[in-house]
Amino acid sequence: MTSLKYRRVNVSDEHHLRNGALKAHSDLKQGSNNLKNGYHVTEKVQKNGNGDSFYQPRVRGEDSFEEAPMYVAVMTYMGYGIVILFGYFRDFLRAVGLEKCHQAQEREEQKDFVPLYQDFENFYKRNLYMRVRDNWNRPICSLPGPVFDVMERVSDDYNWTFRLTGKTIENVINMGSYNYLGFAENNVDFLKTVAEETRQYGVGVCSTRQELGNLSIHEKLERLVAEFLGVESAMAFGMGFATNSMNIPALVGKGCLILSDELNHTSLILGARLSGATIRVFKHNNMQSLEKLLKEAICSGQPRTHRGWKKILIMVEGIYSMEGSLVRLPEILALKKKYKAYLYLDEAHSIGAVGPTGRGVTEHFGVDPNEVDVLMGTFTKSFGATGGYIAGKKELVDYLRSHSHSAVYATAMSPPVVEQIIRAIKCIMGVDGTTEGQRRVRQLSENTRYLRSRLKEMGFIIYGNQDSPVVPLLLYLPGKVGAFSRAMLKRKIGVVVVGFPATPIAEARARFCVSAAHTREMLDKVLQSLDELGDHIRVKFSRHRPSRRQELYNETDFEQDS
């Protein structure tokens, strides 16, 4: 065992990795010749918590957060100001009866009661969101694979209501789904086992796991997930969102402290609030901010009583779905050990999508997964199914089986869905006798780096890590958000655009999700359309300037055992 000492790093020093990331002692050899059942022959990988383990540190890569030019920020705020000004004017016209209000309102005889609908709180939705509402909830009428068909719809009342035209926009390139490994497919040969399990078990279970819904296929899935992750035990749940929101309250409660990254997903935030624990937020991926909160928590204890906290739980994500950035896992693990805290890692977007063999950020960083106290992930993305899992020590999983609301009260997972997950994991591990899974993992990595590098060359500002298949492209101005999405659909490319309140008000963006199912021809068509559209609506804002975001985590001084 050696000790790696982290010291202050000069951001401009090219001889050091940026942001205090670990240096890689050696790179894993690539290629199918070095793979055995999905594992690299040159590595010792811990399975089910037993045996010796050896994990090689890897180069994390940089997260890109380029700053927009000043005029872009000024124009963005001016754009929102103009839209808000016209919103107030239109509300005045509605109040005096010159314009019809389509929104739900209280009846006149109920005006003296406590209002059910808060008019002012819905100001944003009424006057801003409705103007661009046609860019969301588009009805898809085919398999949402690398391409799909969209039902055409129009609005006669400025997006308050829609009607279908009866036409279909066919073969739209799908750049918005989380189908990272392309397992959302309808290939008859691949889905043969799913059909067989459907005939044996049926579709619905109609009971909870603790009553009459615990099928042998459920236990088979959980054993496979634990083996795939390299931990002792795992438990599957029928809904990914509920995996977080219903399990966190079972792990922490009153008298506990949760330290949450400021960009954590809503499911983590909801679970933290439902738990009753005290919540404190640290800056995104900022190790100095996290360490400061840890020091304060240990020194000061609980408010008023100053008693020690029962538990301190750090909650982070593997890949952040709006930023495309990767968690700083080695540094967080070092702080966790130093201050005797617990770590909850949400790998919803990272499991299957990163790592040489698709085992998520623990493999990406060469970290022993048993060092993470709670491993959470979903089956809704890389595995092309639904549901989620919690994995870790056997004691943890056994505790959740009897204390988690999602485990006790939720209906068990549908058997065909379970089989879909099993066949996807087996494919990734290579135990199905093919190298198709590893081919998809490598293809996803190639597609991700290709798209990101080309977008940077074209002059777009994109956020995130070079290995992240989530690629946010910054649009900034509110008027460009709707124009971008509509113009891309005309070019038969489906994209997701996101704005306030899901993002900071001045950082509206389009979010591309790369898939292993995307061919180079598809990506080239997308890039060509983006190049043309970027010039047309002027969204190529990159000047390749470093961000003004403070790199405070470089000043953290702590030790890590490796």
Side-chain angles (χ1 to χ4, degrees):
M1 301 291 286
T2 60
S3 177
L4 299 179
K5 181 74 174 178
Y6 283 79
R7 294 184 288 269
R8 295 188 179 184
V9 180
N10 187 346
V11 177
S12 62
D13 188 356
E14 297 180 357
H15 298 289
H16 292 276
L17 288 175
R18 191 174 204 154
N19 302 338
L22 286 173
K23 285 188 176 181
H25 296 303
S26 61
D27 295 327
L28 287 177
K29 297 180 181 179
Q30 302 294 328
S32 58
N33 293 332
N34 294 326
L35 292 173
K36 183 178 181 180
N37 293 338
Y39 290 96
H40 281 268
V41 179
T42 54
E43 291 183 2
K44 293 180 182 178
V45 180
Q46 186 166 345
K47 295 184 179 182
N48 299 330
N50 299 319
D52 297 329
S53 61
F54 176 71
Y55 296 88
Q56 299 185 17
R58 303 176 192 281
V59 177
R60 177 183 179 277
E62 297 181 6
D63 285 342
S64 173
F65 292 104
E66 184 180 346
E67 181 188 27
M70 180 61 70
Y71 79 90
V72 176
V74 173
M75 293 297 292
T76 300
Y77 284 108
M78 286 181 60
Y80 276 104
I82 293 172
V83 173
I84 291 173
L85 184 63
F86 273 92
Y88 279 114
F89 179 66
R90 295 190 68 184
D91 276 355
F92 170 75
L93 295 179
R94 296 182 184 115
V96 298
L98 294 179
E99 181 177 334
K100 182 180 179 181
C101 182
H102 299 273
Q103 193 169 8
Q105 292 178 305
E106 301 288 349
R107 290 181 293 179
E108 192 64 33
E109 58 268 25
Q110 293 179 316
K111 290 294 184 181
D112 294 333
F113 294 91
V114 177
L116 180 63
Y117 305 104
Q118 298 289 343
D119 287 341
F120 183 75
E121 291 180 4
N122 291 321
F123 176 87
Y124 180 87
K125 179 179 179 181
R126 184 170 59 248
N127 295 297
L128 283 79
Y129 170 72
M130 281 298 171
R131 308 300 294 178
V132 291
R133 184 172 169 234
D134 58 302
N135 296 295
W136 292 276
N137 305 316
R138 289 168 175 157
I140 297 172
C141 56
S142 70
L143 173 80
V147 296
F148 55 71
D149 299 336
V150 182
M151 301 173 70
E152 187 181 65
R153 61 179 182 175
V154 294
S155 177
D156 302 317
D157 51 8
Y158 301 102
N159 293 340
W160 285 99
T161 61
F162 294 98
R163 61 178 175 85
L164 299 175
T165 65
K167 299 179 180 179
T168 302
I169 307 173
E170 298 180 348
N171 296 322
V172 178
I173 299 177
N174 184 2
M175 295 301 299
S177 294
Y178 305 132
N179 186 24
Y180 297 131
L181 295 180
F183 282 115
E185 56 196 350
N186 55 4
N187 188 304
V188 177
D189 295 331
F190 290 160
L191 299 178
K192 187 178 297 182
T193 58
V194 178
E196 292 172 356
E197 297 299 334
T198 304
R199 282 190 288 268
Q200 178 179 350
Y201 291 101
V203 175
V205 179
C206 304
S207 182
T208 65
R209 292 284 298 276
Q210 290 196 354
E211 294 173 338
L212 298 176
N214 188 33
L215 306 181
S216 59
I217 194 172
H218 293 134
E219 297 184 355
K220 178 182 178 182
L221 169 64
E222 291 172 347
R223 289 193 298 268
L224 185 63
V225 170
E227 180 183 356
F228 176 68
L229 297 175
V231 294
E232 292 182 7
S233 185
M235 184 175 183
F237 303 89
M239 182 182 179
F241 190 98
T243 304
N244 276 332
S245 59
M246 293 291 101
N247 281 293
I248 293 174
L251 296 173
V252 291
K254 188 176 181 181
C256 299
L257 174 65
I258 293 176
L259 301 180
S260 176
D261 190 289
E262 64 179 346
L263 296 182
N264 275 342
H265 189 263
T266 306
S267 60
L268 288 169
I269 297 172
L270 178 60
R273 290 176 177 174
L274 291 174
S275 70
T278 302
I279 306 170
R280 292 175 184 167
V281 179
F282 62 92
K283 295 180 181 179
H284 176 54
N285 266 345
N286 190 316
M287 295 301 101
Q288 189 189 46
S289 176
L290 174 59
E291 186 171 25
K292 180 181 178 182
L293 291 179
L294 285 167
K295 287 180 178 178
E296 291 176 354
I298 292 174
C299 293
S300 301
Q302 300 183 40
R304 294 187 296 275
T305 64
H306 299 291
R307 294 176 180 173
W309 297 98
K310 296 178 181 177
K311 298 176 188 174
I312 299 178
L313 180 66
I314 303 170
M315 290 199 318
V316 294
E317 294 186 47
I319 293 179
Y320 291 85
S321 59
M322 285 297 170
E323 305 293 316
S325 54
L326 264 65
V327 64
R328 314 194 71 82
L329 186 58
E331 294 95 318
I332 290 177
L333 280 173
L335 289 175
K336 160 192 160 334
K337 295 175 183 177
K338 179 178 180 180
Y339 294 99
K340 304 298 187 291
Y342 295 95
L343 177 60
Y344 187 108
L345 175 60
D346 179 343
E347 288 214 78
H349 287 269
S350 56
I351 190 66
V354 295
T357 62
R359 285 169 170 79
V361 291
T362 55
E363 183 186 42
H364 179 79
F365 291 110
V367 168
D368 184 349
N370 290 281
E371 294 183 4
V372 180
D373 300 287
V374 185
L375 283 166
M376 177 270 173
T378 62
F379 304 122
T380 58
K381 300 170 178 65
S382 295
F383 305 102
T386 186
Y389 66 82
I390 294 285
K393 297 292 184 183
K394 187 177 185 299
E395 294 84 353
L396 166 74
V397 176
D398 290 344
Y399 174 84
L400 289 177
R401 290 189 192 279
S402 58
H403 290 80
S404 167
H405 284 32
S406 186
V408 176
Y409 299 109
T411 302
M413 295 178 68
S414 173
V417 173
V418 175
E419 178 57 31
Q420 159 66 13
I421 302 167
I422 290 175
R423 74 104 182 174
I425 295 178
K426 284 184 175 179
C427 184
I428 297 172
M429 294 175 67
V431 297
D432 62 347
T434 71
T435 59
E436 174 64 18
Q438 286 307 300
R439 185 200 65 80
R440 296 190 186 205
V441 172
R442 291 193 297 270
Q443 187 64 52
L444 175 62
S445 178
E446 292 174 7
N447 288 351
T448 296
R449 290 177 176 250
Y450 177 69
L451 183 68
R452 282 185 169 274
S453 62
R454 288 293 307 279
L455 288 175
K456 287 184 178 180
E457 291 172 3
M458 291 177 182
F460 293 101
I461 294 180
I462 60 173
Y463 279 178
N465 191 278
Q466 62 181 0
D467 294 312
S468 169
V470 179
V471 186
L473 186 151
L474 277 292
L475 302 174
Y476 297 106
L477 283 76
K480 296 184 184 293
V481 173
F484 180 87
S485 180
R486 293 165 187 148
M488 291 295 281
L489 184 60
K490 288 182 179 180
R491 291 168 167 80
K492 290 193 173 184
I493 300 171
V495 299
V496 173
V497 288
V498 192
F500 181 81
T503 67
I505 193 168
E507 294 185 11
R509 65 198 65 174
R511 185 183 64 182
F512 295 89
C513 292
V514 186
S515 172
H518 288 140
T519 63
R520 184 57 60 90
E521 291 73 19
M522 292 178 186
L523 295 180
D524 285 338
K525 180 182 178 181
V526 172
L527 289 166
Q528 181 181 356
S529 299
L530 285 172
D531 194 20
E532 297 171 356
L533 188 58
D535 292 327
H536 181 65
I537 65 175
R538 304 296 180 92
V539 291
K540 294 182 177 180
F541 300 122
S542 178
R543 293 183 176 179
H544 303 289
R545 298 188 302 173
S547 172
R548 289 180 181 175
R549 299 188 182 194
Q550 295 180 342
E551 309 290 356
L552 295 179
Y553 34 76
N554 289 330
E555 300 176 7
T556 303
D557 187 13
F558 56 87
E559 293 184 355
Q560 175 181 335
D561 292 330
S562 65

